Amino acid sequence: MTAALVLIPARLAASRLPRKPLADICGKPMIVRVLEQALNADIGPVAVACDDKDIAEAVRDNGGTAVMTRPDHASGSDRIHEAAELLDPERKHEFILNVQGDVPLIAPEAIRAAFAPLSNPEVAIGTIATELDPAFRDDPTFVKAIITPNGQGHHRALYFTRATAPSGDGPLHHHIGIYAYRRTALADFVRLPPSPLEMREKLEQLRALEAGMRIDVSMIDSAPMDVNTPEDLARARAAYQSL
């Protein structure tokens, strides 16, 4: 496969952690920490797609690339689609990889794992999951991926849900919202209206499945820590201090 254009959507507004992308983690803003991990994945150029000049300045001050996007996007997918058109109008990159802006400890290997399923030309979107800690089986904030082996070293996604599923013996799988898109699939996706199951479960990826897009999943060893609250931020700082 050719390289991917890696994009990190970031918006300044956050109810639980104000100005979250700019939160300091051991001397650097969180968005810069994510940018560094994405660069370490070494699968292509990396840029932050943001809605505020303060984020753009923080990224550029640390040697990164930032592109300003509209402030009214409904989702990160819409934001990275605009950014891809701005950064790569000639469409040199066939693949677009969306890395969340609140995972400062995301492993480069996890980013590469999301890209891997696109080696199969039938796959429209690649993503990642890990085995779910049984303590969180019934927690709706942990999204479960209902998957089956695809015979090529990854899994095909059949459904995503906040419910405890599937039933029966065996592990559940925690979906991690990092996506690698074929460029054409991303363009198709953002043109689609929100779908019934997407609105019911409040899971954007169900829009793609309902439209018939194939999503395949790579398994990784553990979920990256995401930062949504001051308590999460304290844990991320402690983790960086221990590196």
Side-chain angles (χ1 to χ4, degrees), residues 43-116:
I43 59 172
V46 181
V48 173
C50 55
D51 68 347
D52 188 276
K53 63 179 179 59
D54 289 349
I55 300 174
E57 288 175 1
V59 169
R60 292 165 184 157
D61 286 348
N62 284 273
T65 300
V67 58
M68 292 292 296
T69 56
R70 295 191 345 242
D72 60 344
H73 284 304
S75 71
S77 301
D78 296 298
R79 194 174 305 284
I80 66 163
H81 179 257
E82 181 192 356
E85 296 302 304
L86 292 170
L87 290 167
D88 184 25
E90 296 178 355
R91 295 176 170 263
K92 294 179 181 178
H93 289 94
E94 180 185 355
F95 307 107
I96 307 295
L97 202 150
N98 179 351
V99 177
Q100 295 177 18
D102 58 2
V103 284
L105 292 159
I106 182 75
E109 295 79 10
I111 296 172
R112 289 194 290 269
F115 186 40

Side-chain angles (χ1 to χ4, degrees), residues 27-38:
K28 293 182 181 179
M30 178 163 60
I31 192 65
V32 173
R33 293 297 189 187
V34 178
L35 175 71
E36 291 172 340
Q37 295 301 88

